[in-house]
Amino acid sequence: MRKLGFLLVLASLSLLAACGSSGGGSNTSSTVTSVSVSCSPSTVSSGQTSQCSATVTGTGNFSSAVTWTANNNATISSTGLLTAPTVSSATTVTVTATSTQDATKSGTASVTVNPITAGANVAPIIVDAGPDPANFTSANVAFVTVTVCVPGSTTQCQTIDHVQVDTGSSGLRIISSVLTISLPPENDSGGNPLDECLVFADGFVWGPVATADITVAGETASAVPVQIMIPASSLPPVPPTCSSQNPTGGSGNEGGSVDAFGANALIGVGLFQQDCGPYCVTNSTNPYFYYGCTSSGCTPTTATLAQQVPNPAALFATDNNGVLVQLESVPDGGLATANGFLIFGIGTQSNNGLGGATVYPVPDSGNNAGDFITTFTGSSGVPESYPQSFVDSGSNGYFFLDSATTGIPTCSGQLSAWYCPTTSPDNLTASNQGQSVSGPLGSQISVSFSIENTNNLFSGSNSAFSTLGGVNSGAFDWGLSFFYGRNVFTAIENMSTPGGTGPYFAY
């Protein structure tokens, strides 16, 4: 209606001019003649931001509006805020502003993106075939190197490579056969050795709790409880109350060997300060976590917060409010290896600012603790919300819903838990939203992702996949595939950050 009214006014003016009205018929046309772009700063590091601005010139009543684009996997907002990609070598990003009035007129500027160099709060990440590729090939697992020492010692130390980075759990856990130094055991309140049963989505790990000094990059946490994961054949034996917690379809005790676990160790740098928290301080009932062990066997027991296996990042002297995971972009089909960084702290140094990342708050208690809401339209054609969804670098793909819900076929045989879409890649869209114990928080924000046929991905020699996906009924697990080409932040509960108090995810 407004456009029609505007045309009627013009028609009236033309009629007046034809009748000899004074003022002559002025030319109301407009033209865009050029667009120029500048970005400041013009040199940034991986994941940092640069503010770009456009100057549009022209004649008449022209529009100064532009649309922004950037290459080399950089992202840029509608206001010209560029977020640099994660790169392993110096990379030039070209930023383009195109006139919305005349798409033939555009301008460009260049921003140099440098890789982040290792520093006190930066640990290099490698995604490769794992610690024992001759016998077992890891797929989509992010590894760092960690040093453990007998508390207070500078000589009784061991550096362990291929330690899996897990933003979905808390604590350092080491395969017993990998450990070459003797760490002092942790005891329960009765003076008996303390053991732990920790259940993952695909199995469980069992073994004693010991104490170590932990160093990652230049960050150190002293006298920290850690778990030593042992096979079922070792002592103490796995209690029935532990083995009975093996999830449906789970592989049982995964901590018996490097090949069974797929890593030499795991470092959990997730949302929570301890792996169990207040629940285990007062409860020794199902779900069972901690056990007091004697020669006659192991019995479920309570554990104080100080006795529990903690998130080591929360115990660093600085850079202790969360972590940032940066991984380079990975194309369809995957790469043999991928590189990135585990950066400690959020907003504590120039290399870990939130930039343009959106914060997604999650509850620290209740049925949806650590989860946000993902909404997805599946085969029914009706959007459905899944409030027990989360971001987790320790999961090696996108794990979401099931074939009946998504309409995506699964693979056959041993790969039946993975998706094998007939159209590959299958380009999908969902939306994510924060929540509290009371309900949704903030807006639903769209996120695009793609799934490729797993048979095709696994048929080659690649280890890093941005399009690997499988089933997870009733929820979205945004695993490592989601991390490639993004800055993904995990803020620790009760810790202050520029994005608010944790826990939250941000990307």
Side-chain angles (χ1 to χ4, degrees):
M1 293 295 289
R2 283 192 296 171
K3 183 175 182 182
L4 179 60
F6 180 63
L7 289 175
L8 288 173
V9 170
L10 286 180
S12 299
L13 289 174
S14 299
L15 180 60
L16 288 172
C19 292
S21 173
S22 63
S26 62
N27 184 2
T28 59
S29 65
S30 64
T31 303
V32 172
T33 57
S34 68
V35 180
S36 61
V37 178
S38 63
C39 298
S40 179
S42 59
T43 300
V44 296
S45 296
S46 293
Q48 292 185 335
T49 58
S50 176
Q51 182 62 59
C52 301
S53 60
T55 301
V56 181
T57 59
T59 61
N61 188 27
F62 66 90
S63 171
S64 60
V66 297
T67 56
W68 293 98
T69 56
N71 68 347
N72 286 333
N73 297 303
T75 59
I76 189 164
S77 72
S78 59
T79 60
L81 182 66
L82 175 79
T83 300
T86 299
V87 298
S88 56
S89 60
T91 300
T92 299
V93 170
T94 300
V95 175
T96 302
T98 302
S99 167
T100 59
Q101 178 176 320
D102 182 354
T104 66
K105 299 298 189 294
S106 62
T108 62
S110 295
V111 176
T112 300
V113 182
N114 291 318
I116 289 180
T117 56
N121 71 326
V122 181
I125 288 176
I126 181 72
V127 180
D128 63 10
D132 188 22
N135 296 301
F136 177 86
T137 301
S138 295
N140 243 23
V141 180
F143 299 107
V144 293
T145 296
V146 175
T147 297
V148 293
C149 298
V150 172
S153 175
T154 58
T155 58
Q156 299 181 70
C157 298
Q158 180 182 354
T159 298
I160 304 172
D161 62 13
H162 284 94
V163 178
Q164 182 176 8
V165 178
D166 184 12
T167 62
S169 70
S170 297
L172 178 64
R173 305 172 198 282
I174 308 168
I175 297 292
S176 59
S177 60
V178 171
L179 198 60
T180 59
I181 59 175
S182 180
L183 298 176
E186 186 85 7
N187 293 329
D188 66 9
S189 56
N192 299 309
L194 186 69
D195 282 60
E196 184 179 17
C197 177
L198 188 72
V199 180
F200 293 106
D202 53 357
F204 66 88
V205 295
W206 164 255
V209 179
T211 306
D213 292 344
I214 302 171
T215 299
V216 190
E219 308 277 5
T220 297
S222 300
V224 179
V226 302
Q227 184 184 25
I228 302 173
M229 300 178 288
I230 62 175
S233 57
S234 296
L235 296 176
V238 180
T241 50
C242 174
S243 57
S244 64
Q245 296 182 88
N246 184 47
T248 302
S251 54
N253 185 6
E254 297 184 297
S257 69
V258 170
D259 289 351
F261 195 65
N264 288 326
L266 177 146
I267 184 166
V269 287
L271 297 165
F272 298 102
Q273 296 196 30
Q274 297 88 19
D275 59 5
C276 182
Y279 172 83
C280 287
V281 175
T282 56
N283 292 276
S284 59
T285 55
N286 192 17
Y288 305 101
F289 281 81
Y290 287 95
Y291 292 76
C293 295
T294 65
S295 57
S296 59
C298 297
T299 304
T301 187
T302 57
T304 67
L305 294 179
Q307 291 171 324
Q308 295 178 31
V309 176
N311 182 338
L315 299 179
F316 294 152
T318 59
D319 308 312
N320 55 15
N321 58 358
V323 299
L324 162 60
V325 174
Q326 290 185 341
L327 289 174
E328 65 178 304
S329 295
V330 171
D332 292 353
L335 294 174
T337 61
N339 296 287
F341 305 98
L342 172 62
I343 303 175
F344 295 104
I346 299 176
T348 59
Q349 298 195 37
S350 61
N351 61 13
N352 58 19
L354 280 169
T358 299
V359 171
Y360 298 86
V362 298
D364 60 3
S365 60
N367 293 332
N368 298 328
D371 299 332
F372 60 12
I373 303 168
T374 295
T375 300
F376 180 77
T377 301
S379 57
S380 69
V382 179
E384 297 286 348
S385 293
Y386 302 95
Q388 293 186 320
S389 301
F390 53 92
V391 180
D392 177 15
S393 69
S395 299
N396 62 337
Y398 296 106
F399 292 97
F400 61 107
L401 311 180
D402 53 38
S403 185
T405 305
T406 62
I408 305 172
T410 53
C411 310
S412 58
Q414 292 183 336
L415 297 179
S416 61
W418 298 95
Y419 282 122
C420 280
T422 52
T423 300
S424 182
D426 191 351
N427 299 316
L428 304 168
T429 301
S431 65
N432 289 329
Q433 183 179 21
Q435 67 177 333
S436 68
V437 292
S438 302
L441 288 175
S443 302
Q444 293 184 3
I445 299 179
S446 177
V447 57
S448 298
F449 63 108
S450 298
I451 301 296
E452 287 191 276
N453 187 302
T454 304
N455 281 322
N456 297 339
L457 294 177
F458 286 177
S459 64
S461 57
N462 289 336
S463 298
F465 305 105
S466 61
T467 55
L468 182 64
V471 300
N472 179 35
S473 295
F476 270 71
D477 175 353
W478 298 91
L480 198 73
S481 295
F482 177 75
F483 284 70
Y484 293 111
R486 287 186 170 94
N487 293 335
V488 183
F489 298 82
T490 303
I492 300 172
E493 62 171 333
N494 299 324
M495 304 297 273
S496 177
T497 82
T501 301
Y504 65 74
F505 301 115
Y507 61 84

